[in-house]
Amino acid sequence: MIITTTHHLEGKEVEAYLGVVVGEAVMGANLFSDLFASIRDIVGGRSGSYEDELTKARKIAFAELEAEARSLGANAVLAVDLDYQVVGSKGSMLMVSISGTAVRYRG
């Protein structure tokens, strides 16, 4: 499965546009992650626990996007857009949303 941010595939002919596909993942940050991230905010540096959660969420969202595209008979997803957001009443959840156009190409 080719997944790309471009709107076409170099050297390949799109034979069918199958529709918009989406993958989403919402991950909660636990109490200890929040505590250590707060300390990092004060003293500086990167928050590895949040980066790990974002990585997990991104991988889940991409897997969902690919699964949805395959279920439509696609072998590529074009024009992929990746968004990160903080959600929840206290901003304690991390959301990754990925969307693109499922296509079937030949060549």
Side-chain angles (χ1 to χ4, degrees):
M1 172 81 56
I2 296 174
I3 299 175
T4 181
T5 58
T6 63
H7 294 269
H8 66 280
L9 296 170
E10 188 79 31
K12 308 219 183 285
E13 180 183 343
V14 172
E15 61 184 20
Y17 289 86
L18 305 170
V20 174
V21 289
V22 177
E24 297 170 323
V26 178
M27 307 293 276
N30 68 36
L31 176 64
F32 294 111
S33 296
D34 288 343
L35 175 65
F36 290 121
S38 297
I39 292 169
R40 291 256 188 214
D41 287 344
I42 294 167
V43 299
R46 295 172 62 169
S47 175
S49 57
Y50 277 116
E51 289 175 357
D52 290 346
E53 287 299 308
L54 283 172
T55 298
K56 285 182 206 172
R58 188 179 66 248
K59 287 180 180 180
I60 290 167
F62 267 112
E64 285 186 5
L65 177 89
E66 185 173 341
E68 187 175 343
R70 283 189 195 284
S71 74
L72 296 174
N75 56 5
V77 181
L78 305 181
V80 170
D81 180 51
L82 175 64
D83 292 309
Y84 294 92
Q85 295 179 356
V86 177
V87 295
S89 61
K90 295 183 180 182
S92 60
M93 307 288 277
L94 306 168
M95 181 175 79
V96 177
S97 177
I98 304 171
S99 61
T101 302
V103 301
R104 188 172 43 251
Y105 70 86
R106 113 185 105 161

